Amino acid sequence: MSFESFAEFIDMGGHGLYVWLSYAIALIVIVTNIVNPLMHKRQIFIEQASRLRREKPKS
């Protein structure tokens, strides 16, 4: 796989749009699968801390 120029590499023999769009969609899915659980975990910790503060016995 060799290309004469960077423009040919981007064009991928006329299939560049499909190739780069596929890479972009895959990257979006991977990033979403990493970030979404982390955000959910953070929200759970915030809710639990709030619940513990409310239920803390007063002395």
Side-chain angles (χ1 to χ4, degrees):
M1 183 156 95
S2 64
F3 298 98
E4 296 288 327
S5 67
F6 187 69
E8 281 186 27
F9 173 71
I10 297 296
D11 186 45
M12 293 277 178
H15 301 286
L17 179 63
Y18 170 75
V19 171
W20 297 115
L21 191 57
S22 298
Y23 275 116
I25 291 170
L27 183 63
I28 289 169
V29 168
I30 290 170
V31 168
T32 301
N33 282 331
I34 292 171
V35 171
N36 201 17
L38 293 174
M39 289 174 52
H40 186 67
K41 177 181 171 183
R42 183 173 182 260
Q43 185 62 35
I44 289 173
F45 282 145
I46 290 170
E47 289 172 3
Q48 289 299 320
S50 175
R51 186 173 293 134
L52 285 172
R53 279 193 300 271
R54 276 183 292 177
E55 295 176 358
K56 187 176 179 182
K58 296 180 180 178
S59 37

